[in-house]
Amino acid sequence: MATFLSNTLALAALLQAPAAAQAPVNGTAADSLPALREHLARDSTDGRAWLLLGRLYLERVADAHDPPHRALGDSAAVRALLDSADDALDRAGRLLAPSGSTPDGDSARVLRVAAWSARSHLAWEQRGINVGPQEWGPVPLDLKMPPVLDELGENLLRACPMWGVLLTANEADSYAAWYMRFARGLRPDLLTVPLAAWRSDSVLRGRIAADLKLGRHRDPDATLAELAKRRPVCVTVAFDRPPGPRIGWSTRPLLWVAGPHLKDDRVPPRDFVFAALRLALDDNDAWAQPALALYARAARATPALCEALKTFRLTNEIPSCRR
């Protein structure tokens, strides 16, 4: 996402400190953290530095889930990183957007949601997917997202059939769906998982498979195919194509869906709401573009969505709806 600072190039421009205190331009997160902490010790009002610090903590958390998957072996350290990320991103949001909305302030808020999403995944790996916010939370009352992502998350959750597993594609749809599911409590029957985590994090995938009583497969797509025989599986149209070539996908508004009971729980295309997207585009909100891109793909796959998009004066932004 363009509004997020890159962890190395931004650091050199950000610190404005003597050369000895700066991380090398090609440094890693581990190289950058000490210099960034030193900078913040000198200037604790630098919101962009807090934003970068939070992002670097999240990168370390993500690294802990890579093979050999240190997250389970040292979960206390990972939780400490998540606590530090939450604190840094909370500070960043308050400093960068003390009132209202700014691109950097919204990025801090979205990344803070990412930190809480990572906290839930760690808890699932340790204790199972039925562990909810009462165990790994509570979710802070001041945790929030830009309205356009609230709306996106709600639309995605509404589109997925009852007891489904919703697989998401990128930062926008992943954090939007997670936030509306766990911070706002919508659709408690659904499980939301980024497809990238499903494929790369064998521990998380194995725990989900065990809890849903699926067979043991090393291939993520084989596990997904078995899951689709047991429960509805939903994949956002933010992807170019749905995963799992041997799975029989059908198209619904905003999603590809496979699995049982697909004749139930259909939401008519005209019932989806895009008011926040219209406002976000008018305000040049940086998070409007990923939402618009997903909706544009959805309209190509489900032309009937154009009726609802027209209601919110969005057909000019959706090429397939201009025909």
Side-chain angles (χ1 to χ4, degrees), residues 90-139:
D90 182 34
R91 288 171 182 256
R94 294 175 188 275
L95 289 166
L96 294 168
S99 61
S101 173
T102 66
D104 285 339
D106 285 347
S107 290
R109 294 185 180 111
V110 172
L111 278 177
R112 193 177 178 212
V113 171
W116 280 92
S117 173
R119 192 183 297 267
S120 69
H121 293 167
L122 179 64
W124 294 350
E125 290 178 354
Q126 292 179 301
R127 290 176 283 172
I129 60 174
N130 292 322
V131 171
Q134 65 274 17
E135 282 87 10
W136 48 258
V139 176

mmCIF file of all heavy atoms in Angstrom, residues 90-139:
data_model
loop_
_atom_site.group_PDB
_atom_site.id
_atom_site.type_symbol
_atom_site.label_atom_id
_atom_site.label_comp_id
_atom_site.label_asym_id
_atom_site.label_seq_id
_atom_site.Cartn_x
_atom_site.Cartn_y
_atom_site.Cartn_z
ATOM 1 N N ASP A 90 -0.674 2.938 18.048
ATOM 2 C CA ASP A 90 -1.642 3.785 18.741
ATOM 3 C C ASP A 90 -1.095 5.208 18.871
ATOM 4 O O ASP A 90 -1.789 6.191 18.596
ATOM 5 C CB ASP A 90 -1.944 3.192 20.113
ATOM 6 C CG ASP A 90 -2.996 3.992 20.873
ATOM 7 O OD1 ASP A 90 -3.918 4.535 20.237
ATOM 8 O OD2 ASP A 90 -2.897 4.073 22.113
ATOM 9 N N ARG A 91 0.180 5.315 19.264
ATOM 10 C CA ARG A 91 0.808 6.639 19.357
ATOM 11 C C ARG A 91 0.835 7.321 17.991
ATOM 12 O O ARG A 91 0.562 8.521 17.867
ATOM 13 C CB ARG A 91 2.238 6.506 19.887
ATOM 14 C CG ARG A 91 2.347 6.153 21.363
ATOM 15 C CD ARG A 91 3.791 5.848 21.704
ATOM 16 N NE ARG A 91 3.982 5.458 23.077
ATOM 17 C CZ ARG A 91 4.499 6.233 24.026
ATOM 18 N NH1 ARG A 91 4.859 7.474 23.732
ATOM 19 N NH2 ARG A 91 4.652 5.793 25.253
ATOM 20 N N ALA A 92 1.183 6.542 16.958
ATOM 21 C CA ALA A 92 1.252 7.112 15.610
ATOM 22 C C ALA A 92 -0.099 7.663 15.182
ATOM 23 O O ALA A 92 -0.194 8.773 14.641
ATOM 24 C CB ALA A 92 1.736 6.054 14.625
ATOM 25 N N GLY A 93 -1.154 6.893 15.409
ATOM 26 C CA GLY A 93 -2.478 7.353 15.013
ATOM 27 C C GLY A 93 -2.887 8.626 15.723
ATOM 28 O O GLY A 93 -3.473 9.539 15.118
ATOM 29 N N ARG A 94 -2.562 8.716 17.010
ATOM 30 C CA ARG A 94 -2.931 9.910 17.775
ATOM 31 C C ARG A 94 -2.131 11.128 17.319
ATOM 32 O O ARG A 94 -2.655 12.252 17.292
ATOM 33 C CB ARG A 94 -2.713 9.660 19.266
ATOM 34 C CG ARG A 94 -3.634 8.593 19.853
ATOM 35 C CD ARG A 94 -3.280 8.304 21.306
ATOM 36 N NE ARG A 94 -4.014 7.173 21.821
ATOM 37 C CZ ARG A 94 -5.241 7.232 22.326
ATOM 38 N NH1 ARG A 94 -5.866 8.403 22.372
ATOM 39 N NH2 ARG A 94 -5.844 6.149 22.780
ATOM 40 N N LEU A 95 -0.869 10.922 16.985
ATOM 41 C CA LEU A 95 -0.028 12.047 16.578
ATOM 42 C C LEU A 95 -0.299 12.484 15.141
ATOM 43 O O LEU A 95 -0.265 13.681 14.829
ATOM 44 C CB LEU A 95 1.448 11.671 16.731
ATOM 45 C CG LEU A 95 1.962 11.551 18.170
ATOM 46 C CD1 LEU A 95 3.318 10.845 18.191
ATOM 47 C CD2 LEU A 95 2.077 12.937 18.813
ATOM 48 N N LEU A 96 -0.549 11.524 14.265
ATOM 49 C CA LEU A 96 -0.699 11.838 12.848
ATOM 50 C C LEU A 96 -2.112 12.278 12.482
ATOM 51 O O LEU A 96 -2.314 12.917 11.450
ATOM 52 C CB LEU A 96 -0.306 10.621 12.007
ATOM 53 C CG LEU A 96 1.171 10.234 12.085
ATOM 54 C CD1 LEU A 96 1.393 8.861 11.454
ATOM 55 C CD2 LEU A 96 2.041 11.281 11.404
ATOM 56 N N ALA A 97 -3.078 11.909 13.297
ATOM 57 C CA ALA A 97 -4.461 12.313 13.034
ATOM 58 C C ALA A 97 -5.157 12.567 14.365
ATOM 59 O O ALA A 97 -6.022 11.796 14.782
ATOM 60 C CB ALA A 97 -5.189 11.240 12.229
ATOM 61 N N PRO A 98 -4.765 13.645 15.066
ATOM 62 C CA PRO A 98 -5.367 13.906 16.378
ATOM 63 C C PRO A 98 -6.866 14.132 16.305
ATOM 64 O O PRO A 98 -7.586 13.881 17.264
ATOM 65 C CB PRO A 98 -4.626 15.163 16.860
ATOM 66 C CG PRO A 98 -4.069 15.791 15.624
ATOM 67 C CD PRO A 98 -3.780 14.663 14.688
ATOM 68 N N SER A 99 -7.332 14.612 15.169
ATOM 69 C CA SER A 99 -8.774 14.742 14.945
ATOM 70 C C SER A 99 -9.025 14.524 13.461
ATOM 71 O O SER A 99 -8.304 15.036 12.615
ATOM 72 C CB SER A 99 -9.276 16.124 15.372
ATOM 73 O OG SER A 99 -8.647 17.141 14.630
ATOM 74 N N GLY A 100 -10.014 13.727 13.157
ATOM 75 C CA GLY A 100 -10.308 13.467 11.759
ATOM 76 C C GLY A 100 -9.432 12.383 11.173
ATOM 77 O O GLY A 100 -8.981 11.473 11.862
ATOM 78 N N SER A 101 -9.154 12.506 9.866
ATOM 79 C CA SER A 101 -8.463 11.455 9.130
ATOM 80 C C SER A 101 -7.346 12.049 8.290
ATOM 81 O O SER A 101 -7.498 13.115 7.697
ATOM 82 C CB SER A 101 -9.469 10.730 8.222
ATOM 83 O OG SER A 101 -8.837 9.808 7.381
ATOM 84 N N THR A 102 -6.191 11.369 8.280
ATOM 85 C CA THR A 102 -5.092 11.710 7.384
ATOM 86 C C THR A 102 -4.564 10.404 6.803
ATOM 87 O O THR A 102 -4.756 9.336 7.400
ATOM 88 C CB THR A 102 -3.947 12.430 8.123
ATOM 89 O OG1 THR A 102 -3.344 11.513 9.052
ATOM 90 C CG2 THR A 102 -4.450 13.664 8.868
ATOM 91 N N PRO A 103 -3.884 10.433 5.650
ATOM 92 C CA PRO A 103 -3.371 9.178 5.082
ATOM 93 C C PRO A 103 -2.469 8.409 6.037
ATOM 94 O O PRO A 103 -2.635 7.196 6.225
ATOM 95 C CB PRO A 103 -2.620 9.650 3.832
ATOM 96 C CG PRO A 103 -3.326 10.906 3.426
ATOM 97 C CD PRO A 103 -3.706 11.570 4.718
ATOM 98 N N ASP A 104 -1.511 9.098 6.665
ATOM 99 C CA ASP A 104 -0.615 8.393 7.579
ATOM 100 C C ASP A 104 -1.345 7.940 8.840
ATOM 101 O O ASP A 104 -1.086 6.856 9.372
ATOM 102 C CB ASP A 104 0.568 9.288 7.959
ATOM 103 C CG ASP A 104 1.584 9.412 6.832
ATOM 104 O OD1 ASP A 104 1.595 8.532 5.952
ATOM 105 O OD2 ASP A 104 2.361 10.387 6.839
ATOM 106 N N GLY A 105 -2.253 8.775 9.329
ATOM 107 C CA GLY A 105 -3.018 8.378 10.502
ATOM 108 C C GLY A 105 -3.872 7.155 10.234
ATOM 109 O O GLY A 105 -3.959 6.239 11.063
ATOM 110 N N ASP A 106 -4.503 7.111 9.052
ATOM 111 C CA ASP A 106 -5.303 5.938 8.697
ATOM 112 C C ASP A 106 -4.428 4.705 8.533
ATOM 113 O O ASP A 106 -4.827 3.592 8.901
ATOM 114 C CB ASP A 106 -6.080 6.204 7.404
ATOM 115 C CG ASP A 106 -7.259 7.135 7.617
ATOM 116 O OD1 ASP A 106 -7.628 7.373 8.784
ATOM 117 O OD2 ASP A 106 -7.813 7.627 6.615
ATOM 118 N N SER A 107 -3.227 4.884 7.979
ATOM 119 C CA SER A 107 -2.317 3.746 7.852
ATOM 120 C C SER A 107 -1.958 3.183 9.221
ATOM 121 O O SER A 107 -1.893 1.968 9.409
ATOM 122 C CB SER A 107 -1.045 4.169 7.110
ATOM 123 O OG SER A 107 -1.317 4.414 5.756
ATOM 124 N N ALA A 108 -1.722 4.074 10.180
ATOM 125 C CA ALA A 108 -1.408 3.617 11.533
ATOM 126 C C ALA A 108 -2.572 2.829 12.117
ATOM 127 O O ALA A 108 -2.381 1.785 12.755
ATOM 128 C CB ALA A 108 -1.072 4.813 12.419
ATOM 129 N N ARG A 109 -3.786 3.299 11.890
ATOM 130 C CA ARG A 109 -4.956 2.608 12.433
ATOM 131 C C ARG A 109 -5.142 1.240 11.775
ATOM 132 O O ARG A 109 -5.482 0.259 12.441
ATOM 133 C CB ARG A 109 -6.197 3.475 12.245
ATOM 134 C CG ARG A 109 -6.156 4.762 13.058
ATOM 135 C CD ARG A 109 -7.447 5.546 12.945
ATOM 136 N NE ARG A 109 -7.378 6.765 13.741
ATOM 137 C CZ ARG A 109 -7.322 7.991 13.231
ATOM 138 N NH1 ARG A 109 -7.338 8.161 11.916
ATOM 139 N NH2 ARG A 109 -7.255 9.044 14.019
ATOM 140 N N VAL A 110 -4.930 1.180 10.464
ATOM 141 C CA VAL A 110 -5.079 -0.098 9.771
ATOM 142 C C VAL A 110 -4.004 -1.082 10.233
ATOM 143 O O VAL A 110 -4.280 -2.268 10.463
ATOM 144 C CB VAL A 110 -5.025 0.108 8.246
ATOM 145 C CG1 VAL A 110 -4.989 -1.229 7.520
ATOM 146 C CG2 VAL A 110 -6.235 0.918 7.777
ATOM 147 N N LEU A 111 -2.778 -0.601 10.387
ATOM 148 C CA LEU A 111 -1.714 -1.485 10.860
ATOM 149 C C LEU A 111 -1.962 -1.940 12.297
ATOM 150 O O LEU A 111 -1.580 -3.052 12.680
ATOM 151 C CB LEU A 111 -0.363 -0.779 10.768
ATOM 152 C CG LEU A 111 0.294 -0.786 9.392
ATOM 153 C CD1 LEU A 111 1.588 0.013 9.419
ATOM 154 C CD2 LEU A 111 0.574 -2.206 8.926
ATOM 155 N N ARG A 112 -2.603 -1.099 13.078
ATOM 156 C CA ARG A 112 -2.941 -1.528 14.440
ATOM 157 C C ARG A 112 -3.942 -2.683 14.395
ATOM 158 O O ARG A 112 -3.853 -3.632 15.189
ATOM 159 C CB ARG A 112 -3.509 -0.344 15.230
ATOM 160 C CG ARG A 112 -3.593 -0.615 16.723
ATOM 161 C CD ARG A 112 -4.075 0.588 17.491
ATOM 162 N NE ARG A 112 -4.176 0.263 18.910
ATOM 163 C CZ ARG A 112 -5.075 0.784 19.729
ATOM 164 N NH1 ARG A 112 -5.945 1.679 19.280
ATOM 165 N NH2 ARG A 112 -5.110 0.427 21.002
ATOM 166 N N VAL A 113 -4.887 -2.617 13.468
ATOM 167 C CA VAL A 113 -5.790 -3.754 13.266
ATOM 168 C C VAL A 113 -4.992 -4.985 12.845
ATOM 169 O O VAL A 113 -5.261 -6.104 13.293
ATOM 170 C CB VAL A 113 -6.868 -3.404 12.225
ATOM 171 C CG1 VAL A 113 -7.673 -4.640 11.831
ATOM 172 C CG2 VAL A 113 -7.801 -2.328 12.770
ATOM 173 N N ALA A 114 -3.980 -4.784 11.988
ATOM 174 C CA ALA A 114 -3.135 -5.907 11.577
ATOM 175 C C ALA A 114 -2.465 -6.559 12.779
ATOM 176 O O ALA A 114 -2.331 -7.788 12.844
ATOM 177 C CB ALA A 114 -2.082 -5.426 10.583
ATOM 178 N N ALA A 115 -2.037 -5.749 13.737
ATOM 179 C CA ALA A 115 -1.393 -6.299 14.934
ATOM 180 C C ALA A 115 -2.365 -7.159 15.727
ATOM 181 O O ALA A 115 -1.996 -8.234 16.229
ATOM 182 C CB ALA A 115 -0.851 -5.163 15.798
ATOM 183 N N TRP A 116 -3.600 -6.719 15.837
ATOM 184 C CA TRP A 116 -4.581 -7.514 16.577
ATOM 185 C C TRP A 116 -4.984 -8.758 15.796
ATOM 186 O O TRP A 116 -5.249 -9.815 16.383
ATOM 187 C CB TRP A 116 -5.784 -6.650 16.946
ATOM 188 C CG TRP A 116 -5.458 -5.827 18.144
ATOM 189 C CD1 TRP A 116 -4.934 -4.564 18.170
ATOM 190 C CD2 TRP A 116 -5.555 -6.248 19.502
ATOM 191 N NE1 TRP A 116 -4.707 -4.168 19.462
ATOM 192 C CE2 TRP A 116 -5.086 -5.174 20.305
ATOM 193 C CE3 TRP A 116 -6.000 -7.406 20.119
ATOM 194 C CZ2 TRP A 116 -5.045 -5.252 21.697
ATOM 195 C CZ3 TRP A 116 -5.966 -7.482 21.511
ATOM 196 C CH2 TRP A 116 -5.494 -6.414 22.280
ATOM 197 N N SER A 117 -5.000 -8.664 14.485
ATOM 198 C CA SER A 117 -5.244 -9.855 13.673
ATOM 199 C C SER A 117 -4.143 -10.885 13.898
ATOM 200 O O SER A 117 -4.409 -12.084 14.066
ATOM 201 C CB SER A 117 -5.319 -9.460 12.195
ATOM 202 O OG SER A 117 -5.398 -10.594 11.369
ATOM 203 N N ALA A 118 -2.890 -10.429 13.922
ATOM 204 C CA ALA A 118 -1.773 -11.342 14.180
ATOM 205 C C ALA A 118 -1.877 -11.961 15.566
ATOM 206 O O ALA A 118 -1.531 -13.132 15.771
ATOM 207 C CB ALA A 118 -0.450 -10.589 14.029
ATOM 208 N N ARG A 119 -2.371 -11.199 16.526
ATOM 209 C CA ARG A 119 -2.547 -11.726 17.883
ATOM 210 C C ARG A 119 -3.570 -12.868 17.889
ATOM 211 O O ARG A 119 -3.383 -13.887 18.558
ATOM 212 C CB ARG A 119 -3.005 -10.596 18.809
ATOM 213 C CG ARG A 119 -2.946 -10.915 20.285
ATOM 214 C CD ARG A 119 -3.493 -9.745 21.083
ATOM 215 N NE ARG A 119 -2.708 -8.537 20.913
ATOM 216 C CZ ARG A 119 -1.709 -8.167 21.713
ATOM 217 N NH1 ARG A 119 -1.378 -8.930 22.738
ATOM 218 N NH2 ARG A 119 -1.058 -7.053 21.490
ATOM 219 N N SER A 120 -4.639 -12.698 17.131
ATOM 220 C CA SER A 120 -5.648 -13.763 17.078
ATOM 221 C C SER A 120 -5.084 -15.013 16.415
ATOM 222 O O SER A 120 -5.348 -16.137 16.862
ATOM 223 C CB SER A 120 -6.897 -13.275 16.335
ATOM 224 O OG SER A 120 -6.659 -13.091 14.949
ATOM 225 N N HIS A 121 -4.287 -14.847 15.362
ATOM 226 C CA HIS A 121 -3.713 -16.013 14.682
ATOM 227 C C HIS A 121 -2.760 -16.776 15.603
ATOM 228 O O HIS A 121 -2.733 -18.013 15.596
ATOM 229 C CB HIS A 121 -2.984 -15.573 13.411
ATOM 230 C CG HIS A 121 -3.899 -15.040 12.363
ATOM 231 N ND1 HIS A 121 -3.456 -14.357 11.249
ATOM 232 C CD2 HIS A 121 -5.251 -15.076 12.251
ATOM 233 C CE1 HIS A 121 -4.485 -13.997 10.508
ATOM 234 N NE2 HIS A 121 -5.583 -14.423 11.095
ATOM 235 N N LEU A 122 -1.981 -16.045 16.387
ATOM 236 C CA LEU A 122 -1.081 -16.706 17.335
ATOM 237 C C LEU A 122 -1.884 -17.521 18.347
ATOM 238 O O LEU A 122 -1.528 -18.663 18.669
ATOM 239 C CB LEU A 122 -0.216 -15.665 18.044
ATOM 240 C CG LEU A 122 0.767 -16.198 19.089
ATOM 241 C CD1 LEU A 122 1.815 -17.102 18.448
ATOM 242 C CD2 LEU A 122 1.449 -15.038 19.825
ATOM 243 N N ALA A 123 -2.976 -16.953 18.830
ATOM 244 C CA ALA A 123 -3.816 -17.675 19.794
ATOM 245 C C ALA A 123 -4.449 -18.904 19.154
ATOM 246 O O ALA A 123 -4.554 -19.961 19.790
ATOM 247 C CB ALA A 123 -4.893 -16.740 20.341
ATOM 248 N N TRP A 124 -4.869 -18.787 17.900
ATOM 249 C CA TRP A 124 -5.448 -19.950 17.219
ATOM 250 C C TRP A 124 -4.422 -21.070 17.097
ATOM 251 O O TRP A 124 -4.753 -22.245 17.286
ATOM 252 C CB TRP A 124 -5.940 -19.559 15.831
ATOM 253 C CG TRP A 124 -7.098 -18.610 15.829
ATOM 254 C CD1 TRP A 124 -7.858 -18.231 16.904
ATOM 255 C CD2 TRP A 124 -7.619 -17.901 14.705
ATOM 256 N NE1 TRP A 124 -8.817 -17.331 16.514
ATOM 257 C CE2 TRP A 124 -8.701 -17.108 15.178
ATOM 258 C CE3 TRP A 124 -7.284 -17.849 13.362
ATOM 259 C CZ2 TRP A 124 -9.442 -16.283 14.332
ATOM 260 C CZ3 TRP A 124 -8.014 -17.031 12.521
ATOM 261 C CH2 TRP A 124 -9.086 -16.262 12.997
ATOM 262 N N GLU A 125 -3.199 -20.712 16.751
ATOM 263 C CA GLU A 125 -2.163 -21.737 16.622
ATOM 264 C C GLU A 125 -1.929 -22.460 17.940
ATOM 265 O O GLU A 125 -1.680 -23.670 17.964
ATOM 266 C CB GLU A 125 -0.861 -21.098 16.140
ATOM 267 C CG GLU A 125 -0.912 -20.619 14.697
ATOM 268 C CD GLU A 125 0.374 -19.941 14.265
ATOM 269 O OE1 GLU A 125 1.267 -19.739 15.109
ATOM 270 O OE2 GLU A 125 0.488 -19.610 13.071
ATOM 271 N N GLN A 126 -2.024 -21.738 19.035
ATOM 272 C CA GLN A 126 -1.739 -22.337 20.338
ATOM 273 C C GLN A 126 -2.923 -23.104 20.907
ATOM 274 O O GLN A 126 -2.752 -24.186 21.476
ATOM 275 C CB GLN A 126 -1.331 -21.238 21.329
ATOM 276 C CG GLN A 126 0.001 -20.587 21.016
ATOM 277 C CD GLN A 126 0.321 -19.510 22.024
ATOM 278 O OE1 GLN A 126 -0.425 -18.549 22.194
ATOM 279 N NE2 GLN A 126 1.434 -19.676 22.715
ATOM 280 N N ARG A 127 -4.138 -22.533 20.751
ATOM 281 C CA ARG A 127 -5.278 -23.089 21.483
ATOM 282 C C ARG A 127 -6.482 -23.418 20.619
ATOM 283 O O ARG A 127 -7.500 -23.877 21.133
ATOM 284 C CB ARG A 127 -5.695 -22.115 22.592
ATOM 285 C CG ARG A 127 -4.684 -22.044 23.723
ATOM 286 C CD ARG A 127 -5.082 -21.011 24.752
ATOM 287 N NE ARG A 127 -4.781 -19.658 24.283
ATOM 288 C CZ ARG A 127 -5.164 -18.546 24.915
ATOM 289 N NH1 ARG A 127 -5.887 -18.637 26.018
ATOM 290 N NH2 ARG A 127 -4.829 -17.364 24.446
ATOM 291 N N GLY A 128 -6.385 -23.199 19.318
ATOM 292 C CA GLY A 128 -7.475 -23.586 18.435
ATOM 293 C C GLY A 128 -8.299 -22.407 17.955
ATOM 294 O O GLY A 128 -8.302 -21.328 18.551
ATOM 295 N N ILE A 129 -9.036 -22.639 16.873
ATOM 296 C CA ILE A 129 -9.738 -21.545 16.209
ATOM 297 C C ILE A 129 -10.995 -21.108 16.944
ATOM 298 O O ILE A 129 -11.592 -20.088 16.587
ATOM 299 C CB ILE A 129 -10.088 -21.924 14.754
ATOM 300 C CG1 ILE A 129 -11.001 -23.159 14.720
ATOM 301 C CG2 ILE A 129 -8.830 -22.147 13.940
ATOM 302 C CD1 ILE A 129 -11.498 -23.503 13.327
ATOM 303 N N ASN A 130 -11.413 -21.859 17.950
ATOM 304 C CA ASN A 130 -12.580 -21.438 18.729
ATOM 305 C C ASN A 130 -12.223 -20.444 19.825
ATOM 306 O O ASN A 130 -13.110 -19.947 20.524
ATOM 307 C CB ASN A 130 -13.275 -22.655 19.338
ATOM 308 C CG ASN A 130 -13.926 -23.525 18.280
ATOM 309 O OD1 ASN A 130 -14.485 -23.015 17.303
ATOM 310 N ND2 ASN A 130 -13.843 -24.839 18.444
ATOM 311 N N VAL A 131 -10.931 -20.168 19.977
ATOM 312 C CA VAL A 131 -10.497 -19.166 20.946
ATOM 313 C C VAL A 131 -10.833 -17.783 20.392
ATOM 314 O O VAL A 131 -10.429 -17.425 19.291
ATOM 315 C CB VAL A 131 -8.983 -19.292 21.209
ATOM 316 C CG1 VAL A 131 -8.484 -18.121 22.027
ATOM 317 C CG2 VAL A 131 -8.685 -20.600 21.915
ATOM 318 N N GLY A 132 -11.591 -17.025 21.146
ATOM 319 C CA GLY A 132 -12.051 -15.730 20.673
ATOM 320 C C GLY A 132 -11.437 -14.570 21.428
ATOM 321 O O GLY A 132 -10.518 -14.749 22.244
ATOM 322 N N PRO A 133 -11.941 -13.377 21.182
ATOM 323 C CA PRO A 133 -11.375 -12.174 21.814
ATOM 324 C C PRO A 133 -11.391 -12.215 23.333
ATOM 325 O O PRO A 133 -10.597 -11.523 23.968
ATOM 326 C CB PRO A 133 -12.270 -11.047 21.280
ATOM 327 C CG PRO A 133 -12.843 -11.574 20.010
ATOM 328 C CD PRO A 133 -13.006 -13.046 20.221
ATOM 329 N N GLN A 134 -12.274 -13.006 23.914
ATOM 330 C CA GLN A 134 -12.285 -13.083 25.369
ATOM 331 C C GLN A 134 -11.001 -13.702 25.904
ATOM 332 O O GLN A 134 -10.628 -13.464 27.059
ATOM 333 C CB GLN A 134 -13.500 -13.883 25.867
ATOM 334 C CG GLN A 134 -13.522 -15.348 25.480
ATOM 335 C CD GLN A 134 -14.127 -15.599 24.105
ATOM 336 O OE1 GLN A 134 -14.248 -14.671 23.302
ATOM 337 N NE2 GLN A 134 -14.496 -16.841 23.846
ATOM 338 N N GLU A 135 -10.292 -14.492 25.069
ATOM 339 C CA GLU A 135 -9.017 -15.081 25.485
ATOM 340 C C GLU A 135 -7.819 -14.263 25.011
ATOM 341 O O GLU A 135 -6.884 -14.032 25.768
ATOM 342 C CB GLU A 135 -8.880 -16.518 24.962
ATOM 343 C CG GLU A 135 -9.671 -17.547 25.753
ATOM 344 C CD GLU A 135 -11.101 -17.676 25.255
ATOM 345 O OE1 GLU A 135 -11.402 -17.095 24.185
ATOM 346 O OE2 GLU A 135 -11.912 -18.342 25.921
ATOM 347 N N TRP A 136 -7.794 -13.826 23.742
ATOM 348 C CA TRP A 136 -6.619 -13.114 23.240
ATOM 349 C C TRP A 136 -6.807 -11.601 23.244
ATOM 350 O O TRP A 136 -5.901 -10.861 22.894
ATOM 351 C CB TRP A 136 -6.232 -13.587 21.840
ATOM 352 C CG TRP A 136 -7.341 -13.676 20.832
ATOM 353 C CD1 TRP A 136 -7.983 -14.799 20.421
ATOM 354 C CD2 TRP A 136 -7.925 -12.599 20.082
ATOM 355 N NE1 TRP A 136 -8.938 -14.498 19.472
ATOM 356 C CE2 TRP A 136 -8.917 -13.154 19.249
ATOM 357 C CE3 TRP A 136 -7.707 -11.228 20.035
ATOM 358 C CZ2 TRP A 136 -9.694 -12.388 18.378
ATOM 359 C CZ3 TRP A 136 -8.481 -10.454 19.179
ATOM 360 C CH2 TRP A 136 -9.457 -11.040 18.364
ATOM 361 N N GLY A 137 -7.961 -11.136 23.669
ATOM 362 C CA GLY A 137 -8.246 -9.708 23.719
ATOM 363 C C GLY A 137 -8.140 -9.174 25.140
ATOM 364 O O GLY A 137 -7.278 -9.615 25.898
ATOM 365 N N PRO A 138 -9.021 -8.256 25.491
ATOM 366 C CA PRO A 138 -10.113 -7.757 24.655
ATOM 367 C C PRO A 138 -9.623 -6.787 23.587
ATOM 368 O O PRO A 138 -8.597 -6.126 23.757
ATOM 369 C CB PRO A 138 -11.018 -7.041 25.662
ATOM 370 C CG PRO A 138 -10.071 -6.570 26.725
ATOM 371 C CD PRO A 138 -9.019 -7.637 26.832
ATOM 372 N N VAL A 139 -10.386 -6.713 22.498
ATOM 373 C CA VAL A 139 -10.060 -5.762 21.444
ATOM 374 C C VAL A 139 -10.272 -4.347 21.985
ATOM 375 O O VAL A 139 -11.308 -4.058 22.588
ATOM 376 C CB VAL A 139 -10.961 -6.002 20.212
ATOM 377 C CG1 VAL A 139 -10.695 -4.956 19.140
ATOM 378 C CG2 VAL A 139 -10.734 -7.400 19.657
#
